[in-house]
Amino acid sequence: MKTATTAATVLAICNLAAASSHFKRQNDTGVGLAYSPPYYPSPWMDPEAEGWQEAYAQAKAFVSDLTLLEKVNLTTGTGWMADLCVGNVGSIPRVGWRGLCLQDGPQGIRFADYVSYFTSSQLAGATWNRDLIRDRARAMALEARDKGIDVLLAPAVGPLGRFPTGGRNWEGFSPDPYLAGVAAAESVKGIQETGVIATIKHLIMNEQEHFRERGNGISYGYSVVEAISSNVDDKTMHELYLWPFADAIRAGAGSVMCSYQQVNNSYGCQNSAVLNHLLKEELGFQGFVLSDWAAQHTGVAAAVAGLDMSMPGDVTFNSRTSYWGANLTNAVLNGTVPEYRIDDMAMRIMAAFFKVGRTIEDAPEINFSSWTRDSDGPVHWAAKEGVQTINQHIDVRRDHGDLIRRIAAQGTVLLKNEGSLPLNKPKFVAVIGEDAGSRVGGPNGCPNQGCNSGTLAAGWGSGTASFPYLITPDAALQRKAVEDGTRYESILSNWEHELTASLVGEPDATALVFVNANSGEGFIEVDGNVGDRNNLTLWNGGDDLIEIVAAHNPNTIIIIHSTGPVVVSEWYDNPNITAILWAGLPGQESGNAITDILYGRVNPGGKTPFTWGASEESYGVKIVYEPNNGDDAPQGDFDDGIFIDYRWFDSQDDEPIFEFGFGLSYTTFEFSDIRVERSNASEYKPNTGESIPAPRIGANHSSDYTDYVFPEGFRRIDQFIYPYLNSTDPKQTLGDRFYGDEAEDFLPPGATDDSRRPAHPAGGGPGGNPQLWDVMYTVFATVTNTGSVVGEEVAQLYVSLGGPDDPAKVLRGFERIRIDPGTSETFRADITRRDLSNWDTVSQNWVISDCPKSIYVGNSSRNLPLHAALQ
Ligand code: NOJ
């Protein structure tokens, strides 16, 4: 679909400032590397912020009483494997507080037993079902809470999914920022209503695994030390990558994880433009920023740039050193880090804690250890100290299997159906492919799911859980076949070509071919893929397998388990291939869910949350797989701007194989009667005024160094990170990094300023200026089920913003609606001010341009039968 007006005419009638004044891709002279402008001081809490008042009052009562050492203990992890969870902050025994337990992740609880393995977030995104997405997050968090977890390291919206080959895209929902933002907000609400703090991650532009971390280059055999820099302009930052984070923060997210890689050549966890300016000033974030694991590379600089919590606390895993801990104590004592900053860190952490309803007194017991399944063992795993019962093996799953089955079925996308589905007591079913079967070594046989064998139900890395069971497609389909009296045979290998050809060539065979493509986090390499996929082809000879089956069987049905799109160009239109399904990463109920769909117990209604291009090249972007800047940090230039996924295909006038938002049903739907109602939204006013001056919480800290050394007789645990100093001489106190008298000189101008700050024009509340969410229009349309079975349709609303630099259209509303055959339902969607705005780099605010705007309604990004102009 193209906008009616050409770029030239649009330019003449509408305008929007284009110059970038804040985030720059280049330095001021227009040459050199992308640059991230400093922004100081670090915005302190706003105790009156919407939704945070009560939490801040409680935090103040608690933090007022803390000593400097106790505050530092809140901010610094105890070290890798130092305690039971993947991340832990120190306790405050004096007040009976056990500290915090932070645990992955986005698809279920990592490193624990008797937990559920949910669907990937991406497959949840494919449901386009707000309620289900929230139910999923709530269920995950209930399990987390019952294991004693305080902070769940989920949801993820970064990577957003700029690269179709991006290794961790499945940990997020969709490369569309609107869909990702809605899903993230629902997930934050679902998690936090159980009393667990949600972490929206990874802020920001963490789009690829290659070179994501400092030192990755060396491990690949290059002499590049620094991590890649994702280079982005201000408009793209706002209109694309920051968008879903804003939704999560508006929904009340208690914490944000900053990312490993650099943004415009400044590391994610010490980038003042990202943390101070965008996150805390503009988006008014009131919770705490925690580092990704060992993503912190400085002490004081990170503190003044907006980092609030160091994870896992040591400089590198088990280094016995920390940028914070004692260093932070010392930096506050010697005045390098302003006292208000440590107060602010402690307040932000405790406000998030109270906001979700936690109390000091009844912290749930941490009843599992991340590091062993043994019942008894050391609490302090790295030091092998403190042997006691560390795994109580508590079953926290409830009836979540049913929910997982529903999500997996609702997310499954029917991409092609020539009438062979749903199956109805077929005479003979032949299931082909190792992706239908179980894994040698069991479903948890590879640590962090770091392998690809058997059916693919989860990607690899930190975003993994432990399967309590895994229903394979082979098991579920065989059970169904036996029930129906169907003959059933499976060949659970991709390499038995002759046997396969002969089996599927038998008369009356319905051939179900299961294939996959996997990816994950860069710390594990699988089949030569270092997290990111090397290409978009199917794994383990999947394409050959499909060709062989389709050559011998006229009723071949393909089921794809994958972490994103694969190239299907060679075979998707083969007439012998009568149906294609994408089942994503379905989690523990894989086989049941696909059986529900194949047999029509559930009518498919999932819509693909990304575009399926004809080739890898058609996406117009490529991961930086090799150094491209000599021995210096690789440079990842986001030259495609806001044009990723369907926006890119639209801009190139390129027809994808399956477009974003597409998915078939066993019934048919029709759209009619579009109607637009205009609301009387008040005029948009830039946020004005000033912040309060930096508050100091509690009594002044004593400046007597003897108050801060290790207490007499204190027995230290090996590798554990403490807030205590080694010596009363500030210059002797630390064995590792020291920021002594010279410190003030290296702090950027303004870094310690504690006076009132002017308001950000686009700020004013969590997520940004509250007026951005004013409803400007409400759109109504009628959706009719014109087929003969009940079905669910995802009505989608797209907006054309109409400017020369705008995509042809962007998603701005959707609803999954259940409709009985022969009846109609009304689709209703609100369009907010934000939905119609562009980011103006000059005024540093959102503006609605005077470019002509239109809306489109339909059931995919390329099937939009209804449209209207916005007046
Ligand atoms: C690194 C990953 O990037 C992050 O997502 C995860 O939460 C931490 N490791 C902790 O496991």
Side-chain angles (χ1 to χ4, degrees):
M1 187 210 68
K2 306 206 103 189
T3 43
T5 27
T6 65
T9 51
V10 169
L11 249 187
I13 51 171
C14 71
N15 218 338
L16 190 76
S20 174
S21 69
H22 164 49
F23 243 100
K24 301 195 173 81
R25 276 285 321 284
Q26 292 180 320
N27 70 21
D28 289 335
T29 58
V31 292
L33 297 180
Y35 155 77
S36 186
Y39 189 89
Y40 297 96
S42 187
W44 41 87
M45 73 206 96
D46 172 6
E48 296 308 317
E50 176 77 39
W52 288 82
Q53 295 96 331
E54 209 180 305
Y56 264 108
Q58 285 175 276
K60 188 171 179 188
F62 181 75
V63 174
S64 297
D65 186 38
L66 300 185
T67 65
L68 173 58
L69 290 169
E70 288 165 343
K71 288 175 190 169
V72 169
N73 228 19
L74 275 178
T75 67
T76 307
T78 55
W80 179 242
M81 296 183 161
D83 279 308
L84 297 169
C85 306
V86 291
N88 312 265
V89 293
S91 58
I92 307 183
R94 188 177 60 85
V95 296
W97 193 58
R98 66 143 166 79
L100 294 172
C101 164
L102 293 78
Q103 195 75 5
D104 293 296
Q107 199 172 341
I109 314 307
R110 187 183 184 201
F111 293 152
D113 54 9
Y114 300 94
V115 296
S116 302
Y117 216 132
F118 289 81
T119 72
S120 67
S121 303
Q122 189 183 49
L123 191 61
T127 67
W128 300 60
N129 184 332
R130 288 177 171 80
D131 294 339
L132 215 44
I133 291 170
R134 186 162 176 164
D135 290 348
R136 169 181 176 274
R138 188 189 301 110
M140 287 197 318
L142 282 174
E143 297 193 7
R145 193 192 64 194
D146 290 357
K147 289 280 179 189
I149 294 160
D150 304 288
V151 182
L152 183 63
L153 303 171
V157 290
L160 185 62
R162 175 181 181 229
F163 301 107
T165 47
R168 298 181 75 182
N169 292 353
W170 52 273
E171 291 189 46
F173 302 94
S174 165
D176 179 81
Y178 184 90
L179 177 54
V182 168
E186 293 300 334
S187 300
V188 165
K189 289 182 209 155
I191 291 168
Q192 295 198 161
E193 64 205 12
T194 70
V196 172
I197 299 171
T199 304
I200 187 80
K201 67 185 189 181
H202 309 81
L203 189 76
I204 196 171
M205 328 277 308
N206 191 165
E207 295 294 316
Q208 66 168 68
E209 292 301 286
H210 283 77
F211 302 105
R212 70 169 183 168
E213 278 175 87
R214 202 165 194 224
N216 273 169
I218 301 288
S219 67
Y220 306 153
Y222 302 116
S223 40
V224 174
V225 173
E226 303 303 341
I228 193 169
S229 174
S230 296
N231 301 328
V232 70
D233 63 87
D234 193 20
K235 175 182 165 74
T236 304
M237 177 60 102
H238 280 86
E239 294 186 10
L240 191 64
Y241 295 100
L242 194 61
W243 182 286
F245 284 96
D247 287 308
I249 289 158
R250 184 172 160 82
S255 66
V256 169
M257 187 189 293
C258 51
S259 62
Y260 279 125
Q261 95 301 333
Q262 308 193 59
V263 179
N264 292 353
N265 290 296
S266 168
Y267 274 101
C269 291
Q270 63 190 61
N271 188 316
S272 64
V274 170
L275 303 180
N276 284 348
H277 191 184
L278 295 178
L279 178 66
K280 289 185 173 174
E281 198 74 274
E282 183 184 328
L283 299 187
F285 175 59
Q286 301 301 324
F288 62 97
V289 177
L290 64 109
S291 70
D292 200 341
W293 268 234
Q296 185 185 3
H297 302 304
T298 53
V300 172
V304 295
L307 184 69
D308 301 303
M309 183 186 280
S310 169
M311 274 294 139
D314 30 21
V315 167
T316 53
F317 289 2
N318 308 109
S319 65
R320 296 182 165 80
T321 55
S322 176
Y323 288 113
W324 283 5
N327 276 308
L328 187 54
T329 306
N330 196 26
V332 174
L333 284 177
N334 71 21
T336 317
V337 167
E339 299 218 12
Y340 74 77
R341 187 72 265 275
I342 183 81
D343 288 352
D344 185 51
M345 294 176 189
M347 285 285 281
R348 285 173 173 275
I349 293 164
M350 293 314 297
F353 178 85
F354 290 120
K355 185 176 196 302
V356 301
R358 286 270 158 129
T359 58
I360 302 296
E361 303 75 43
D362 43 39
E365 185 188 8
I366 302 167
N367 55 43
F368 74 104
S369 164
S370 299
W371 319 117
T372 177
R373 290 279 70 81
D374 293 347
S375 302
D376 297 330
V379 174
H380 308 297
W381 187 258
K384 298 276 176 276
E385 275 206 38
V387 174
Q388 60 178 60
T389 298
I390 49 175
N391 273 306
Q392 296 176 26
H393 313 289
I394 294 175
D395 195 326
V396 295
R397 292 174 296 154
R398 302 169 171 79
D399 57 355
H400 292 162
D402 295 345
L403 174 67
I404 295 166
R405 179 174 181 165
R406 254 191 302 138
I407 301 168
Q410 282 209 18
T412 298
V413 183
L414 180 60
L415 293 166
K416 176 179 179 179
N417 186 15
E418 301 292 318
S420 56
L421 293 180
L423 301 174
N424 181 15
K425 297 198 163 110
K427 195 165 180 196
F428 170 32
V429 165
V431 164
I432 306 299
E434 65 177 60
D435 182 66
S438 52
R439 176 184 294 168
V440 183
N444 299 310
C446 310
N448 294 299
Q449 296 292 329
C451 63
N452 192 63
S453 77
T455 194
L456 177 62
W460 75 77
S462 65
T464 47
S466 301
F467 284 105
Y469 58 79
L470 171 52
I471 311 273
T472 63
D474 180 47
L477 287 165
Q478 172 160 293
R479 196 176 52 215
K480 176 71 179 145
V482 172
E483 258 169 47
D484 287 353
T486 296
R487 177 186 155 202
Y488 183 90
E489 285 193 46
S490 56
I491 299 179
L492 304 177
S493 159
N494 288 11
W495 310 106
E496 297 292 339
H497 291 174
E498 270 178 42
L499 276 176
T500 298
S502 117
L503 183 73
V504 301
E506 289 186 32
D508 298 320
T510 299
L512 303 179
V513 187
F514 284 81
V515 288
N516 69 35
N518 200 352
S519 70
E521 194 172 338
F523 72 91
I524 299 174
E525 178 180 329
V526 178
D527 253 353
N529 297 263
V530 186
D532 304 313
R533 282 188 279 168
N534 291 333
N535 51 53
L536 289 182
T537 57
L538 290 167
W539 286 34
N540 297 336
D543 291 291
D544 292 344
L545 188 68
I546 289 172
E547 253 180 62
I548 288 162
V549 175
H552 294 86
N553 179 291
N555 190 17
T556 301
I557 295 166
I558 312 294
I559 297 97
I560 303 166
H561 287 122
S562 73
T563 56
V566 294
V567 171
V568 300
S569 304
E570 292 295 310
W571 46 262
Y572 80 101
D573 55 355
N574 181 326
N576 281 354
I577 295 181
T578 56
I580 305 174
L581 291 135
W582 178 71
L585 302 174
Q588 67 187 47
E589 288 284 330
S590 174
N592 285 337
I594 199 67
T595 305
D596 289 345
I597 290 287
L598 288 168
Y599 282 84
R601 198 180 82 86
V602 175
N603 191 347
K607 303 282 177 180
T608 175
F610 47 76
T611 300
W612 299 63
S615 66
E616 194 185 330
E617 293 68 42
S618 61
Y619 292 85
V621 281
K622 199 171 176 69
I623 279 177
V624 178
Y625 290 103
E626 287 174 1
N628 63 2
N629 187 27
D631 283 351
D632 293 329
Q635 299 293 304
D637 291 334
F638 284 41
D639 288 333
D640 43 338
I642 54 176
F643 293 90
I644 68 169
D645 202 71
Y646 68 91
R647 301 151 172 234
W648 171 258
F649 283 83
D650 284 354
S651 76
Q652 302 300 300
D653 221 349
D654 185 2
E655 192 76 37
I657 306 278
F658 304 118
E659 74 270 18
F660 173 82
F662 172 76
L664 299 167
S665 163
Y666 297 148
T667 184
T668 48
F669 298 97
E670 253 174 45
F671 287 77
S672 59
D673 301 327
I674 190 166
R675 195 158 59 78
V676 184
E677 264 176 25
R678 194 186 165 133
S679 314
N680 285 325
S682 55
E683 196 195 330
Y684 185 61
K685 296 201 189 68
N687 179 38
T688 54
E690 284 184 330
S691 74
I692 53 170
R696 285 293 333 280
I697 310 294
N700 282 342
H701 308 127
S702 113
S703 53
D704 180 354
Y705 274 66
T706 55
D707 291 343
Y708 300 96
V709 290
F710 277 93
E712 277 228 356
F714 188 91
R715 205 178 61 78
R716 298 166 69 160
I717 297 161
D718 182 37
Q719 301 180 41
F720 206 87
I721 306 298
Y722 294 101
Y724 301 112
L725 307 181
N726 286 328
S727 156
T728 52
D729 174 355
K731 294 205 181 197
Q732 299 302 318
T733 179
L734 304 157
D736 48 308
R737 293 176 174 62
F738 172 65
Y739 302 122
D741 300 335
E742 329 81 62
E744 250 170 56
D745 302 344
F746 75 72
L747 281 186
T752 58
D753 191 355
D754 60 359
S755 47
R756 295 172 186 276
R757 307 181 320 274
H760 191 297
N769 193 320
Q771 278 191 294
L772 291 170
W773 280 271
D774 288 348
V775 175
M776 311 281 288
Y777 298 89
T778 303
V779 179
F780 302 87
T782 303
V783 191
T784 306
N785 182 343
T786 49
S788 53
V789 287
V790 59
E792 295 185 2
E793 179 61 303
V794 179
Q796 301 165 39
L797 166 74
Y798 293 80
V799 171
S800 164
L801 295 173
D805 299 329
D806 289 320
K809 69 208 174 243
V810 289
L811 181 72
R812 287 295 188 253
F814 63 83
E815 199 187 341
R816 182 167 176 141
I817 312 170
R818 185 181 173 86
I819 312 176
D820 286 326
T823 70
S824 301
E825 297 287 341
T826 301
F827 165 57
R828 182 202 151 115
D830 288 334
I831 303 180
T832 65
R833 173 173 276 118
R834 178 187 188 227
D835 293 332
L836 296 176
S837 296
N838 288 96
W839 180 251
D840 179 16
T841 59
V842 174
S843 65
Q844 286 293 293
N845 210 339
W846 295 95
V847 294
I848 298 184
S849 73
D850 50 11
C851 306
K853 310 213 180 312
S854 9
I855 57 164
Y856 304 85
V857 171
N859 63 1
S860 87
S861 63
R862 292 208 169 200
N863 183 35
L864 297 165
L866 307 182
H867 46 93
L870 288 184
Q871 301 306 322

